[in-house]
């Protein structure tokens, strides 16, 4: 009797589990085929804070552009093709490190093949054998780019590294405090804040379940895995009185002490990246990206210097013997500089990605020619 009763209980329990599984599977299928509750493309990373979800492939119709937009990530979580760790001796590897500008955000407006790194790769591949890598991630700054190089990036043995610098990198690296200034003005590496197991599990679900995304939005009122949720766990904003935006203080002619400290930390991180490149026989190139606030009326010339970041990075490059390219200065030759940015926000338009790719190719062609002459 007990055996029969236990069998019935076990069978009933299994049936309940099966029913729950079928309900969840059905709900996931329904919400996955819809368009409102897509899985998150941002994943938690214990070593870097976050990166794109690995192996993501999405193709959707953009009403703004009236065409299909593709967004895909490779097996290590970047919006790029696959790259073998070991490269052939006759291949030169070029690595781009950057944030959302380089990663091609917003992803529903700029397609994979339109990002400036892909356009640059097409140009250099037409003449020589190059392997171009894009290891950029939205909201990354120079501190995470240094950590990536130390933990993973240098395993790929890049010959050139383009460090794509946006002004907000200075602020974000300072506020996150993954690195701080230690004794003797040395760079001190700090422990990256870790998420609780419950938070990591919620991020995991957001990366894999559209049904969970529905629950977050309609019932739980949470936003795990969403871009804005990053800054809940990794704050990057400062509050400096009187500034029209969080990045405007970086361009002040008379800078607050906090901005000065952030600039110096940024300089030390650049120095550490350069030392790493020298040790690995890799050529570092600093590239300052233009920002929309530098060409619209947001910065009053009485108080702000629009090219202040470019000048500062150039000084760092000159001091340390690093190659330097200022894309902000290139905008002066454009008939309509605003054209390189999206009209509704501050990232690059499709034309802007083409513009940046062309400038990068021209610059790289010059240094490649110069290197060939030196070898002769």
């Amino acid at each position: 009797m007990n055996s029969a009763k236990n069998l019935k209980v076990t069978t009933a329990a299994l049936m309940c589990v099966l029913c729950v599984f079928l309900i969840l599977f059905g709900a996931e299928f329904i919400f996955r085929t819809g368009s409102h509750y897509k899985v998150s493309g941002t994943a938690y990373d214990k070593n870097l804070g976050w990166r794109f979800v690995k192996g993501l492939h999405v193709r959707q119709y953009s009403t703004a552009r009236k065409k299909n937009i593709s967004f895909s990530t490779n097996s290590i979580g970047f919006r790029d093709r696959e790259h073998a760790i070991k490269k052939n001796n006759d291949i030169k590897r070029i690595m781009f490190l950057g944030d959302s500008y380089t990663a091609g955000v917003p992803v529903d407006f700029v397609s994979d093949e339109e990002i400036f790194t892909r356009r640059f790769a097409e140009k250099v591949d037409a003449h020589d054998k190059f392997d171009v890598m894009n290891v950029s991630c939205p909201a990354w700054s120079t501190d995470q780019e240094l950590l990536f190089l130390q933990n993973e990036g240098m395993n790929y043995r890049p010959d050139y590294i383009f460090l794509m610098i946006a002004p907000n990198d200075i602020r974000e690296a300072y506020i996150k405090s993954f690195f701080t200034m230690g004794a003797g003005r040395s760079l001190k590496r700090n422990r990256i804040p870790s998420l609780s197991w419950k938070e990591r599990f919620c991020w995991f679900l957001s990366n894999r379940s559209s049904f969970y995304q529905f629950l977050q939005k309609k019932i739980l009122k949470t936003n795990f895995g969403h871009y804005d949720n990053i800054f809940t766990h990794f704050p990057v904003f400062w509050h400096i009185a009187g500034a029209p935006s969080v990045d405007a203080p970086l361009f002040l002619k008379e800078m607050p002490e906090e901005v000065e400290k952030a600039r110096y930390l940024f300089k030390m991180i650049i120095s550490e990246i350069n030392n790493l490149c020298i040790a690995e026989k890799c050529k570092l190139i600093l590239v300052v990206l233009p920002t929309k606030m530098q060409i619209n009326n947001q910065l009053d010339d009485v108080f702000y210097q629009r090219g202040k970041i470019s000048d500062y990075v150039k000084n760092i490059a000159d001091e340390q013997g690093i190659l330097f390219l200022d894309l902000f200065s290139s905008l002066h030759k454009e008939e309509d500089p605003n054209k390189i940015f999206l009209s509704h926000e501050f990232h690059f338009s499709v034309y802007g990605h083409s513009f940046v790719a062309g400038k990068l190719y021209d610059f790289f062609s010059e240094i490649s020619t110069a290197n060939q002459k030196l070898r002769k």
Side-chain angles (χ1 to χ4, degrees), residues 16 21 33 105 129 165 184 201 228 306 310 330 334 342 346 358:
C16 288
F21 173 79
T33 55
V105 170
K129 293 184 178 180
I165 299 167
F201 182 63
D228 291 342
R306 297 169 192 262
S310 300
S330 301
E334 286 288 298
L342 293 169
F346 57 88

Side-chain angles (χ1 to χ4, degrees), residues 26 36 58 67 107 118 120 140 160 164 176 180 189 196-197 200 246 248 268 287 300-301 362 369 374:
H36 299 294
V58 178
K67 63 173 288 187
V107 297
R118 188 72 63 85
F120 173 86
W140 268 17
Y160 298 91
M164 311 303 290
K176 285 204 308 290
T180 52
R189 179 173 175 173
S196 68
W197 71 266
R200 293 198 300 273
V246 290
M268 295 303 294
V287 182
D300 188 338
D301 289 336
D362 291 342
T369 301
L374 286 174

